[in-house]
Amino acid sequence: MAICGPFRAIVRIAAMALAFAGATSGHAADTIEGSLVKAYQNNPQLNAQRASVRATDESVPQALSGYRPRVSLNASVAEQYLDSLSVTPTATGSSNLALAGFNTTRSFGGTLNQTFFNGFQTANRTRSAESNVSSAREGLRVLEQTVLLAAATIYMDYLRDSAIVEVQRSNVRVLEQTLKQTQDRFNVGEVTRTDVAQSQAQLAAGQTQQTTAESNLVTTRANFRRIIGSEPAAPAPGSPVDRFLPSTLPTAVETGLLENPNVTAAMFGIDVAFLNVKVNEGALFPTLQGVLSISQAYDTTLTLRRSLTGSVGAQLTVPVYQGGSEYALIRQSKETLAQQRLNLDQVRDQTRATVVQAWGQLQAAKAQVASAQSQVSASETALNGVREEARVGQRTTLDVLNAQQALVNARVAMVTAQHDRVVASYSVLAAIGRLSPAVLGLATVIYDPSVHYHQVRDAWGGVRIPDGH
């Protein structure tokens, strides 16, 4: 009873297809790098986050508007009825003047207000808005890393599941041949009906494993389409990204605490909270404004046909007490600042733990690959030995079936270990904050959020966004 040559050849081919350390080749859409490019360009969640960052950019010109004048125009028209009697004293007595009739009054004018001082609120609001923009950019980096890691993971998932399907299909073909051979031997009296039943049971189990593997592959294909945006087409092997990783765990932890976007976003969050305290404290300062107004009116009365008025002046407002809400806001913003500082400590601790965990998984994955390769080699040797012993009657059909299943399991374990090896390297790169198209050298135009920011920062007006809509 022997494992057939075609089975071993197909299993070896499937294993070689998952030799992730090999060089990548083929069209960009069929490589892990090409899939990462597609996800980076087309993932709807990532594009939505980019739009969110662009929306956050508009908070800066909103804050800067506090430095700029405010101009308003007004016009009015009204129909009025006047019935009056005025008495004017004279040298001989008095004279009466009666006026009655309808009159249409018209007026138009404009007002210009310019704030000269408001307790530095405009400056602090601007700085707070700029910190919010920086925090939003770090949030975008977080999502970019999440999408790229998900893309790399699903790419390797598809390679793994495809190889497992081929292994299980090959196993079913061998088990079908084994059952036929066992039945032939039963017909000539070399084995018993028990051996035939064992072969049938093993074949049924192999068919179940094949069905499960095919179902897993269908699910993976759907997730591949969801994350990357296209159907997988003959994907090439993927390789680890160890060349971009620090050489030691302490260096990786230090890098993560400095470059992980979750940490930098939390640091900007402290800046925003601190500046909000200053903005709220500005409400206690006086406000100085300049006001310029001009108005032209016609027919305001039956006797006054036209009048032009204008004024220019300054207005100083000194807040004394507004019910205590301004003090409550200051206290509230200080508590928020303390919360953000504690949140930074929490994010740093979480980042440190994530880096250590990812690093440990990478080292374990490397060891598992070597162990799985040894397991496959030993399982092949054991199967060959059991096969030869079965020929001379020292082993049963069940022994051969068990040895064959052990080899299949070893092949699946090796495929899984090679998958985990690559995914773990990408996970470490994401944990330290360096999983980006620039670091990976992906052939794509890198999205630069500062372009839109500079397009809108100093805009004084307009309703069109920079892309023309």
Side-chain angles (χ1 to χ4, degrees), residues 227-250:
I227 296 173
I228 295 179
S230 65
E231 295 290 339
S239 59
V241 288
D242 294 357
R243 60 191 181 279
F244 303 121
L245 300 179
S247 57
T248 63
L249 176 58

Side-chain angles (χ1 to χ4, degrees), residues 86-123:
S86 60
V87 179
T88 304
T90 64
T92 60
S94 63
S95 64
N96 298 330
L97 177 63
L99 295 175
F102 289 91
N103 184 44
T104 301
T105 64
R106 306 178 304 279
S107 67
F108 62 89
T111 303
L112 183 146
N113 288 274
Q114 175 65 59
T115 300
F116 296 114
F117 181 76
N118 62 354
F120 308 105
Q121 291 185 73
T122 298

Side-chain angles (χ1 to χ4, degrees), residues 1-3 178 182 185 190-196 198-199 202 382-405:
M1 185 82 156
I3 182 172
T178 300
T182 304
R185 296 178 65 191
E190 294 183 3
V191 296
T192 65
R193 184 173 295 279
T194 300
D195 296 302
V196 176
Q198 290 171 341
S199 297
Q202 195 73 6
L383 178 58
N384 291 332
V386 171
R387 177 192 61 190
E388 296 299 328
E389 293 171 0
R391 286 180 176 176
V392 296
Q394 295 180 349
R395 292 281 186 170
T396 64
T397 300
L398 181 60
D399 293 330
V400 176
L401 292 173
N402 290 339
Q404 182 174 303
Q405 184 61 43

Side-chain angles (χ1 to χ4, degrees), residues 400-417:
V400 176
L401 292 173
N402 290 339
Q404 182 174 303
Q405 184 61 43
L407 177 59
V408 171
N409 294 340
R411 292 290 189 186
V412 171
M414 184 175 68
V415 165
T416 302

Side-chain angles (χ1 to χ4, degrees), residues 194-426:
T194 300
D195 296 302
V196 176
Q198 290 171 341
S199 297
Q200 291 173 336
Q202 195 73 6
L203 174 59
Q207 290 171 338
T208 299
Q209 293 172 347
Q210 175 185 333
T211 301
T212 301
E214 290 173 345
S215 175
N216 292 338
L217 182 60
V218 170
T219 302
T220 301
R221 179 184 290 272
N223 289 328
F224 191 103
R225 175 68 177 80
R226 175 179 60 85
I227 296 173
I228 295 179
S230 65
E231 295 290 339
S239 59
V241 288
D242 294 357
R243 60 191 181 279
F244 303 121
L245 300 179
S247 57
T248 63
L249 176 58
T251 305
V253 171
E254 182 180 358
T255 302
L257 294 178
L258 292 175
E259 300 184 19
N260 187 291
N262 288 301
V263 175
T264 50
M267 294 173 66
F268 284 118
I270 292 178
D271 293 340
V272 172
F274 173 78
L275 291 167
N276 284 340
V277 173
K278 295 300 181 182
V279 169
N280 291 328
E281 288 176 345
L284 302 179
F285 287 78
T287 300
L288 177 61
Q289 288 184 321
V291 181
L292 171 65
S293 64
I294 188 170
S295 176
Q296 176 74 59
Y298 296 93
D299 300 324
T300 54
T301 68
L302 291 176
T303 58
L304 182 61
R305 310 307 298 173
R306 180 177 62 85
S307 65
L308 174 64
T309 60
S311 67
V312 59
Q315 178 180 344
L316 179 66
T317 303
V318 181
V320 178
Y321 185 72
Q322 288 117 22
S325 62
E326 66 276 27
Y327 300 106
L329 283 173
I330 294 173
R331 295 194 302 269
Q332 183 184 50
S333 57
K334 287 182 177 180
E335 293 292 350
T336 301
L337 174 59
Q339 178 189 9
Q340 290 298 324
R341 287 171 174 164
L342 294 173
N343 180 60
L344 175 60
D345 293 337
Q346 179 184 359
V347 171
R348 282 174 172 165
D349 291 341
Q350 182 61 50
T351 299
R352 182 182 290 106
T354 301
V355 173
V356 172
Q357 179 183 9
W359 187 274
Q361 290 174 344
L362 176 59
Q363 302 309 312
K366 291 179 180 179
Q368 288 170 358
V369 169
S371 177
Q373 290 172 342
S374 299
Q375 182 183 358
V376 169
S377 178
S379 297
E380 289 177 343
T381 301
L383 178 58
N384 291 332
V386 171
R387 177 192 61 190
E388 296 299 328
E389 293 171 0
R391 286 180 176 176
V392 296
Q394 295 180 349
R395 292 281 186 170
T396 64
T397 300
L398 181 60
D399 293 330
V400 176
L401 292 173
N402 290 339
Q404 182 174 303
Q405 184 61 43
L407 177 59
V408 171
N409 294 340
R411 292 290 189 186
V412 171
M414 184 175 68
V415 165
T416 302
Q418 291 168 331
H419 160 277
D420 295 344
R421 167 77 173 84
V422 177
V423 173
S425 68
Y426 276 91

